Amino acid sequence: MDLGTIIGVIAGLALIFITITLTGVPLPFYFSISSLIMVIGGSFAAMLVGNPASRLLGIMRFVRHSLRSQEWNTERVVADLVEFAGRARREGILSLEDYLEEVDDEYMRRGLQLVVDGTDPAIIRDIMLKELEKIQERHEIGAKLFDDWGKLAPAFGLIGTLIGLVAMLANLDDRSTIGVGLALALLTTMYGAIFANLILLPTRSKLEDRNLDELLVREIVLEGVLSIQSGDNPRILMEKLVSFLPPDKREEIYNEFDTRSQVGYR
């Protein structure tokens, strides 16, 4: 579970409640069922118009993905690929098949299996790049869903406000209700802004970050698999792969390489 997301939402709502309390206006006055229905229900209805129902029914999958704290251990991925390169040079490419069950990552395992099968490098690159493109497409669909919803929610907040203003203007004879009516009308705009800027748009940003993290690992795996097939020296392969990483993460990989080299996988 990504605690940062949970803490951020709770902290955001808490700050809003504190600000409301400081205004001196009773908290129940800021609660409106009709405004919630307009913002959440109306914007979701618009999403149904613009997206296939099957895509929206799977929206919880993207929510779970944004809440799941998944740290990609890029250092371990690089070290594993370098180790496979060493085994391939010592024992031959076909020997890698004996170690495939040790590989947890399906993308890496499929790539190494293609190498063992003697597949042409161009075909391997094409297959793995195609899968990479499909992964990115799925991620972009999720991010776009929340981006679109984040744009629609404030719009329906404004629609709710206009409805409230029309109702207020229709009862101008009773001037004592103008202030209350205007305040209630503006609640819908407030709900739309909160829903979009505290939940929907940050979720989109979180999904985009998850996408970049996974794509980086997949690109490292792709480069590593092709280098193993071409018979690159493990040290050369390591230098290729660490170039994908920021400098502060490279030292750990060099130390891992030296440690594993002591047990003879070069």
Side-chain angles (χ1 to χ4, degrees):
M1 181 66 72
D2 186 354
L3 292 179
T5 301
I6 304 299
I7 293 173
V9 171
I10 293 175
L13 292 175
L15 290 171
I16 292 170
F17 289 146
I18 291 172
T19 303
I20 289 173
T21 302
L22 293 176
T23 63
V25 179
L27 190 61
F29 187 78
Y30 285 86
F31 184 72
S32 170
I33 292 292
S34 59
S35 296
L36 282 174
I37 292 174
M38 173 57 68
V39 170
I40 298 178
S43 59
F44 189 78
M47 290 289 288
L48 282 171
V49 175
N51 295 274
S54 58
R55 184 181 298 169
L56 289 180
L57 290 175
I59 199 169
M60 288 307 300
R61 181 176 73 254
F62 297 113
V63 173
R64 287 194 298 270
H65 186 60
S66 69
L67 292 176
R68 187 172 67 245
S69 181
Q70 183 173 3
E71 294 293 335
W72 292 95
N73 192 338
T74 50
E75 296 87 348
R76 171 66 184 277
V77 171
V78 171
D80 286 346
L81 288 167
V82 172
E83 184 167 355
F84 277 117
R87 288 172 174 172
R89 285 173 66 86
R90 285 197 321 269
E91 306 168 23
I93 290 289
L94 294 179
S95 67
L96 297 183
E97 190 165 20
D98 298 332
Y99 303 103
L100 290 182
E101 292 184 0
E102 302 174 7
V103 181
D104 296 328
D105 183 66
E106 183 181 353
Y107 187 73
M108 184 189 297
R109 185 167 59 250
R110 289 185 60 191
L112 291 173
Q113 184 65 65
L114 290 170
V115 170
V116 171
D117 293 341
T119 310
D120 184 86
I123 296 177
I124 293 178
R125 178 180 290 277
D126 185 61
I127 291 173
M128 297 186 73
L129 279 177
K130 181 63 66 177
E131 184 171 350
L132 199 61
E133 290 173 2
K134 293 303 178 183
I135 290 173
Q136 186 169 4
E137 284 178 10
R138 290 194 295 270
H139 291 173
E140 289 176 349
I141 286 173
K144 185 176 183 301
L145 276 177
F146 285 93
D147 184 58
D148 291 345
W149 202 352
K151 294 174 182 176
L152 289 169
F156 274 86
L158 179 59
I159 292 172
T161 295
L162 293 174
I163 292 172
L165 289 175
V166 170
M168 181 193 71
L169 293 173
N171 294 283
L172 279 180
D173 293 340
D174 186 0
R175 297 192 176 185
S176 63
T177 64
I178 292 178
V180 175
L182 181 59
L184 287 173
L186 292 175
L187 274 182
T188 318
T189 297
M190 185 184 77
Y191 283 177
I194 293 173
F195 188 44
N197 293 286
L198 184 60
I199 296 176
L200 299 177
L201 296 181
T203 299
R204 177 210 62 192
S205 297
K206 183 79 70 168
L207 289 172
E208 290 174 343
D209 286 341
R210 295 277 193 269
N211 175 52
L212 292 176
D213 292 342
E214 183 170 354
L215 288 181
L216 173 62
V217 175
R218 301 307 185 199
E219 289 172 0
I220 290 173
V221 170
L222 173 58
E223 184 65 33
V225 166
L226 293 174
S227 295
I228 290 171
Q229 185 179 52
S230 65
D232 285 352
N233 181 281
R235 173 67 70 174
I236 300 300
L237 174 58
M238 182 187 65
E239 294 295 343
K240 280 185 180 181
L241 300 184
V242 297
S243 65
F244 286 88
L245 304 177
D248 60 324
K249 290 189 176 183
R250 297 178 184 180
E251 187 63 33
E252 184 176 344
I253 294 177
Y254 290 132
N255 293 336
E256 180 76 12
F257 178 82
D258 291 336
T259 299
R260 296 194 186 191
S261 293
Q262 293 174 8
V263 297
Y265 76 49
R266 284 197 218 220

